[in-house]
Amino acid sequence: LLGVLSQGAGVRVLERILSHEMSILIGLLSYVVCYSTLPLCTSTWGVYGVVVFTSLCYVVTPMTQAVLSRQVGPHVQGTLQGALTSLKTVTRLIGPLLGTWIFSSLTTHLEFSAGILLAAASFYCIGGALIFHELYKKGSGNKVA
């Protein structure tokens, strides 16, 4: 429900206030907050607070599609959107299988390492945000025909 509200209303609000690129960075950094604070939650209310805050994460996908669609010409838009949809489909198929396997192996054998894995995921998102920011600064005027 938060994802629907965030993508529907949040994208429009953020488009008026911030650029697409800054919205993507804020979304990626909200992933960092989510992955960093979720292992520290000791009560249900803490988890609810993290989930509400991370509704900004759902802005990343539509904003990324908007940035990518500006980088290609009009005759390549269908190919780009098809490739992005295919990529999302593959990750939605593989993600639950891989996530379930990781969760079961961590909670069965190494109970403490689940927090370490979430912390590593947050560093991964920080790296992704920094790479995105640097690539955008270097190639902001380049278009692919």
Side-chain angles (χ1 to χ4, degrees):
L1 181 63
L2 283 174
V4 171
L5 292 174
S6 179
Q7 282 187 353
V11 169
R12 289 191 180 124
V13 170
L14 284 176
E15 276 182 329
R16 292 183 187 131
I17 298 171
L18 302 170
S19 66
H20 292 302
E21 294 77 18
M22 189 57 67
S23 299
I24 292 170
L25 288 174
I26 289 172
L28 289 174
L29 292 177
S30 68
Y31 273 122
V32 171
V33 170
C34 173
Y35 291 143
S36 299
T37 57
L38 203 54
L40 303 175
C41 293
T42 57
S43 69
T44 307
W45 294 107
V47 173
Y48 290 142
V50 171
V51 168
V52 168
F53 178 74
T54 57
S55 64
L56 291 172
C57 300
Y58 297 106
V59 174
V60 173
T61 301
M63 292 292 187
T64 303
Q65 287 179 333
V67 168
L68 290 174
S69 68
R70 284 189 282 152
Q71 299 295 320
V72 298
H75 61 282
V76 190
Q77 291 290 323
T79 305
L80 173 69
Q81 296 304 325
L84 291 174
T85 302
S86 297
L87 186 61
K88 284 194 304 188
T89 302
V90 168
T91 58
R92 286 181 181 171
L93 288 171
I94 295 174
L97 298 174
L98 186 61
T100 304
W101 175 74
I102 290 172
F103 180 77
S104 67
S105 65
L106 288 177
T107 56
T108 306
H109 305 294
L110 306 169
E111 294 176 9
F112 179 71
S113 62
I116 294 171
L117 182 65
L118 287 173
S122 70
F123 288 121
Y124 177 77
C125 289
I126 289 173
L130 292 174
I131 289 171
F132 175 79
H133 181 66
E134 288 300 314
L135 288 177
Y136 181 74
K137 278 192 339 186
K138 288 180 183 177
S140 60
N142 298 342
K143 281 200 172 226
V144 178

